Amino acid sequence: MKITGAQGLVKALELENVTTIFGYPGAAICPFYDALLDSDIKHILTRNEQGAAHAASGYSRVTGKTGVCVATSGPGATNLITGIATAYSDSIPMVAITGQVSLDLIGRDVFQEVDITGATEPFCKHNYLVKNVKDLPRIVKEAFHIASTGRPGPVLIDVPVDIQTDTLDFIYPDEVDIKGYKPNYKGHPQQIKKIAEAVASSQRPVICAGGGVISAKASEIMTRLAEKYQIPVVTTLMGIGAIPADHPLNMGMLGSHGVYAANYAVHNTDLLIIVGARVGDRALGTAGKIAEKAGIIHIDIDPAEIGKNVSTTIPVVGDAGLILEDLYKSIQNCNTSQWLESLQQAVKKNKVKLKEQSSYVNPKKLLAELSKRLYDNAIVVTEVGQNQIWAANNFIARKPGSFITSGGLGTMGYGLPAGIGAKIGRPESTVVVIGGDGSFQMSMPEMGTIKQNRLGVKILILNNNRLGMVREIQKNKYKKRYSQVFLDDNPDFVKIAEAYGFKSEKISCNSQIDSALERFLADDNAYLLECSIDPEEETV
Amino acid sequence: MAKHILSVLVENRSGVLSRVAGLFSRRGFNIDSLAVGVTENPEVSRMTIVVDGDEYTVEQVSKQLNKLIDIIKIRALEDSDSVSRELALIKVNATSSTRSEIVQIVEIFRAKIVDVSKNTLTVEISGSGDKVRALEDMLRQFGIKEIVRTGTIAIERGNKYIKAGSTEEM
């Protein structure tokens, strides 16, 4: 029996076990939205397409499934771009579906036409423009396969409106066979043997865990490996949660916004074992320079990451989980007692002294207090800026996936919609979005999505009436010549929250933290807590 | 900077060339030349890419290209173990007094005259980039009106071959 392309697209999503999608309709995607009415797939209408992409990302990060977002052609599609690029930077599996003008009009600059496959090509794992309705089932099957295997990432499918209304005999392929795409999962035994030998002869080894450890579901085996051989662990921003933050072997986050112990460990190690991390410039401090005196082992599913930013002594391509399993069995011994002792001294220097303040809330204290009150299954989602780093260094992430942030691209406006996706993916979890006043305003209308879907998302705004991170750069590197970082006429966030029907309050000193957090977390409804932060409060 | 030849098998689909060229520009790699044509398998095209850069660059180019889903296989060809050619068409001014000299030069280079007009000769030459350049230098004195060059194509010597399927080498 023949069905339309739009019906076929919906059917293909069902066959991929998609249950929730995020999107925003428009003329060029209307046949798909019409077909969606006959499906059990739940659609979340965001307030901007960018919100849909970030929500799909947050949903993916808590469920492990491929997130799906949908937009119309032209501006709808371009609004997805930041979300797609964010997912690409953080290796999040995502399928983005866009409507396109009809095939005969492509290339004529007609109403709401944009070359979205061309535009997204640099930051998509792959993309498709469907030119024949018969190709649609194969393309959807391939898209989900590519997005979720190897190094995960976003894949875009651009579907012209006449392809959506055209008909096909729908046959969904069982398997995918793409000549040039065969990810390698099993690490080379010879390389693993070399690592085992290097670890055995090392005096001061360190594991650097990146987001790849979490996406490969390798957190448990990595922690077991670290415990068995007593190897300290540092994490990147994306690796937070890969090992419990309060684990005695966890030295904390490294890099320019990291903590002393982590940087001390990396600086003094003789064997750095990087797992699932691209070693970005914020982690390195200086491009291309990390642990210069040490041997460097790099384990990554993406061969192109190895040797890209740092030269590697022993490279291994493959799945972090499988490789760490093999390593767990291969390493004979490792004596690190002296090394751990010296690191314990460094850990003491991690402790920051909190400023005595009477007219502000200290964000570091606030986030530490929040941690104490959250259960292990809680999820913290951050915006980008000082709020992100305060959360990274002070929230006690105990489980992989409990700390969600835009690490690679640093996308302001990510937190609120990603938090929406996380809450929809894991409704039983307490989801707390931490934002600054600047980044929160980039996605603030998504409060409407929270209201419409009755989502109990908690929003914590750290308000210093500044673009705090940029201000700090201007303070330290531009001789306090502050330029365009003042948001003194911020709206009354409490009133805005009330307009959306949220409970809301504002606090402005540390003594209010305890009782405010009690009320903030007391029930399952949405709640906005605005905290007045000293503009002079430093990030680290 | 050394020149390196990459032989790249790609899916014969629209958009692939743009992905490859885009990758070079956004990652800051220099393409010296790029030649594309279909292979013995109509579903597969071969790109011969000459890259300017050091070993790190070539490694990164190969790895980043490999990430593209449409790329099937990449091989860096060694100069000593491969044959490379370039094709050029050179349109040169020719008068009754210079015509015979040009013909002589063309013969020495084992090139061919493929078009003649009252005031011009069009010369076809295939060979290494150096040979094409040498002929160009010799013809410049007569006044070159136009040159069209293909860029390098290359193939491995002997029994080795690069193929899209599972069996690739003998």
Side-chain angles (χ1 to χ4, degrees), chain A residues 296-312:
Chain A
I296 293 181
I297 291 162
H298 199 162
I299 299 167
D300 208 292
I301 189 83
D302 179 358
E305 283 306 327
I306 294 171
K308 187 178 80 178
N309 292 340
V310 285
S311 57
T312 309

Side-chain angles (χ1 to χ4, degrees), chain A residues 54-55 58 380-384 387 404-406 411-422 431-435 439-440 442-443 446 450 457-459:
Chain A
H54 291 328
V380 159
V381 189
T382 81
E383 291 288 350
V384 166
N387 67 85
I404 293 177
T405 196
S406 167
T411 307
M412 289 174 75
Y414 175 79
L416 186 59
I420 289 169
V431 173
V432 181
V433 172
I434 294 168
S439 50
F440 176 68
M442 283 207 179
S443 292
E446 295 303 340
I450 294 177
V457 174
K458 314 285 179 183
I459 303 167

Side-chain angles (χ1 to χ4, degrees), chain A residues 138-409:
Chain A
R138 173 186 61 79
I139 286 174
V140 177
K141 181 83 184 174
E142 285 183 4
F144 275 85
H145 176 71
I146 291 168
S148 60
T149 53
R151 179 180 184 173
V155 178
L156 180 134
I157 309 172
D158 196 26
V159 195
V161 68
D162 53 340
I163 294 286
Q164 295 173 52
T165 52
D166 202 354
T167 57
L168 78 160
D169 286 315
F170 185 86
I171 300 165
Y172 203 58
D174 292 329
E175 286 178 359
V176 169
D177 182 25
I178 306 167
K179 286 192 201 87
Y181 182 69
K182 314 273 185 218
N184 181 24
Y185 292 98
K186 189 85 182 140
H188 196 283
Q190 200 57 39
Q191 297 298 86
I192 289 166
K193 196 177 158 201
K194 278 188 197 167
I195 299 177
E197 287 166 3
V199 172
S201 60
S202 156
Q203 308 296 313
R204 303 183 304 280
V206 171
I207 294 171
C208 171
V213 174
I214 296 171
S215 63
K217 298 183 175 62
S219 302
E220 195 202 330
I221 179 64
M222 186 200 71
T223 307
R224 279 200 285 133
L225 180 86
E227 285 169 349
K228 185 174 177 187
Y229 301 102
Q230 288 295 294
I231 304 173
V233 179
V234 301
T235 69
T236 66
L237 182 58
M238 288 298 292
I240 289 176
I243 180 169
D246 48 5
H247 193 287
L249 287 170
N250 188 354
M251 300 295 120
M253 183 173 82
L254 86 162
S256 56
H257 287 109
V259 295
Y260 178 78
N263 286 318
Y264 176 89
V266 170
H267 189 70
N268 291 289
T269 182
D270 62 356
L271 186 69
L272 184 64
I273 306 163
I274 302 167
V275 192
R278 72 201 159 98
V279 208
D281 52 327
R282 293 290 167 111
L284 287 172
T286 309
K289 286 188 178 174
I290 190 167
E292 286 178 89
K293 292 167 276 183
I296 293 181
I297 291 162
H298 199 162
I299 299 167
D300 208 292
I301 189 83
D302 179 358
E305 283 306 327
I306 294 171
K308 187 178 80 178
N309 292 340
V310 285
S311 57
T312 309
T313 324
I314 310 173
V316 199
V317 176
D319 176 81
L322 295 177
I323 291 170
L324 293 175
E325 283 280 1
D326 286 345
L327 263 180
Y328 186 81
K329 294 173 207 152
S330 307
I331 297 172
Q332 295 298 318
N333 55 49
C334 185
N335 183 5
T336 60
S337 50
Q338 274 192 339
W339 174 225
L340 287 175
E341 220 166 275
S342 70
L343 288 176
Q344 284 317 311
Q345 299 301 316
V347 166
K348 285 179 188 157
K349 293 193 182 175
N350 277 356
K351 305 264 186 288
V352 285
K353 279 188 185 159
L354 299 179
K355 276 194 280 187
E356 287 300 326
Q357 295 159 312
S358 56
S359 54
Y360 292 110
V361 175
N362 188 295
K364 295 163 189 169
K365 179 177 170 60
L366 174 77
L367 291 163
E369 291 295 329
L370 175 71
S371 281
K372 287 182 196 165
R373 288 169 170 79
L374 290 179
Y375 296 109
D376 281 2
N377 71 345
I379 299 161
V380 159
V381 189
T382 81
E383 291 288 350
V384 166
Q386 285 186 301
N387 67 85
Q388 179 185 33
I389 304 302
W390 286 327
N393 288 330
N394 297 283
F395 168 65
I396 313 285
R398 294 190 180 89
K399 283 192 171 177
S402 63
F403 180 79
I404 293 177
T405 196
S406 167
L409 203 62

